[in-house]
Amino acid sequence: MSHTRTERLEALGRIMDTLDILRVKCPWDAKQTNESLRPNTIEEVYELCQALLDDNGPEIRKELGDVLLHVLFYSKIADEKGLFDIADVADALNSKLIFRHPHVFGDVKADDAHQVEQNWEDIKLRERGGNRTVMAGVPAALPALVKAFRMQEKAANVGFDWESPEQVWDKVREEVGEVSEAIAAGRHSDVEAEMGDLLFSVINAARLYKVNPENALERTNRKFLARFNYIERCVTDSGRSLRDLTLGEMEELWQQAKTKAEGGR
C-alpha cells in the first residue's frame, strides 16, 4: 500500500513521539547508550539481510522498522547531548546525495551505472579538501570477504582493473598453482598467504562477472546446510549416528538430497 507524503511524515512523527516517551518512562530505553545499542544494531542489520536474502516481504518490513528504530535512537541520544538530531541527519544525507549525483542535479554526464560509480569515487576523492584516499571509505571492521569486494570495486572505479573479465582466470589458475606449491613444500604460513591470494582472486572474478560473492557464498551455504540436514535426518530416522556411516554412504545420501532439491542442482 502506497501512502501519501503527508501520511509518511505523520507515521515517522508518531514513532519519534513514541521514542521520546519511552526514553523518559521505560527504564530499559532510558538507560541505553551508543555503546549498549551497538551490538543490537549489528544483530538487527544481519536480521534485515536475512529477510532480504529470503525475499520475505513481511519480514523485510519488520526488520526495516527495527533498523529505523536504531537510527532514530542514536539521533535521539545525540540530541540529548546537544550534538545533532534526526533533522540534521536527514539534511546531511540529502545534501550528500545531491552533491554526489551531479549527473542528476548538475551538468555532469553519466550514461550508465558504471560511469555513475566512477563519478562517485572522483567526487569522494575531492571531499574533505582532497585528503580522502580511494580506500578510506572501506570500514576496517568489515568482514574480510565483503572488504575484499569493496576494495576491488573502489580500485576498479579509478581505473585499476583488468581490461577484460577473461584475464582474471589466468590469475586464479596462477594462485591455485602457488597454493599447491606451498602445500607441497610444507610451509604453513605460505599456505595461508597463498590461500588468501587465491580467495582474493576468486572474489575478483565474481566481481568482474557481476556476481556479489557474499550473496553467492551464502546461497551455497544454504544449499550445503539443506543437503547436510537431509543426511542427518535420514540417519536419525534410521536410528544410527553420522559417525556410523561410511563416506560412501554419506555421498549416496548427499546425491539423494541433490536429486530432491529443485532442479537437481
Side-chain angles (χ1 to χ4, degrees):
M1 177 181 177
S2 181
H3 293 82
T4 66
R5 179 184 179 88
T6 299
E7 289 172 333
R8 294 169 187 170
L9 292 174
E10 288 175 348
L12 287 172
R14 284 192 294 273
I15 185 60
M16 292 170 63
D17 290 342
T18 299
L19 182 57
D20 286 344
I21 294 170
L22 291 174
R23 188 70 172 158
V24 174
K25 296 188 175 182
C26 173
W28 186 91
D29 289 282
K31 74 175 185 177
Q32 296 311 306
T33 64
N34 288 341
E35 292 74 21
S36 67
L37 284 173
R38 190 178 69 86
N40 292 338
T41 304
I42 295 170
E43 181 179 338
E44 295 298 353
V45 171
Y46 274 111
E47 289 179 355
L48 172 59
C49 291
Q50 181 70 52
L52 291 167
L53 285 170
D54 293 339
D55 195 22
N56 185 326
E59 280 299 306
I60 292 172
R61 181 178 64 180
K62 171 182 173 294
E63 300 303 339
L64 280 172
D66 291 342
V67 172
L68 175 60
L69 173 59
H70 282 246
V71 173
L72 295 174
F73 216 139
Y74 289 120
S75 300
K76 174 66 176 173
I77 292 171
D79 188 20
E80 293 168 356
K81 295 178 179 179
L83 300 175
F84 58 83
D85 63 13
I86 190 63
D88 296 310
V89 173
D91 283 339
L93 174 58
N94 186 60
S95 296
K96 182 170 70 174
L97 288 174
I98 292 173
F99 180 70
R100 292 188 179 179
H101 290 79
H103 55 287
V104 176
F105 301 104
D107 55 6
V108 174
K109 187 174 179 59
D111 296 324
D112 54 39
H114 180 62
Q115 194 169 355
V116 171
E117 290 175 354
Q118 290 180 319
N119 290 342
W120 185 282
E121 293 299 335
D122 290 340
I123 291 168
K124 287 194 286 186
L125 285 173
R126 294 197 301 270
E127 290 177 341
R128 300 182 185 176
N131 294 323
R132 187 180 178 94
T133 66
V134 172
M135 297 297 169
V138 181
L142 278 179
L145 189 152
V146 179
K147 186 191 294 185
F149 183 66
R150 291 294 293 128
M151 290 193 301
Q152 291 168 3
E153 279 189 323
K154 286 185 173 292
N157 284 334
V158 295
F160 189 69
D161 203 3
W162 300 97
E163 292 181 356
S164 66
E166 293 77 14
Q167 292 174 318
V168 75
W169 297 114
D170 288 336
K171 185 63 176 175
V172 172
R173 284 188 284 268
E174 175 189 330
E175 298 299 349
V176 170
E178 291 180 0
V179 170
S180 298
E181 290 174 10
I183 292 173
R187 301 188 303 267
H188 179 73
S189 61
D190 288 349
V191 172
E192 182 180 56
E194 298 300 345
M195 194 70 75
D197 291 347
L198 173 58
L199 291 170
F200 194 86
S201 65
V202 170
I203 292 168
N204 220 351
R207 177 187 62 82
L208 288 164
Y209 285 92
K210 312 301 181 187
V211 172
N212 185 297
E214 173 71 20
N215 293 345
L217 182 58
E218 178 56 21
R219 181 175 181 174
T220 296
N221 287 342
R222 291 179 171 214
K223 184 166 58 178
F224 179 90
L225 181 62
R227 292 176 184 176
F228 194 85
N229 284 345
Y230 174 83
I231 294 174
E232 200 165 23
R233 286 196 304 273
C234 289
V235 173
T236 300
D237 290 345
S238 68
R240 302 171 68 191
S241 165
L242 282 173
R243 295 186 182 277
D244 296 332
L245 269 64
T246 65
L247 185 58
E249 289 173 319
M250 287 188 180
E251 176 62 23
E252 183 179 347
L253 289 172
W254 182 269
Q255 294 302 324
Q256 288 179 22
K258 288 178 64 176
T259 301
K260 289 179 178 295
E262 184 178 353
R265 295 194 301 270

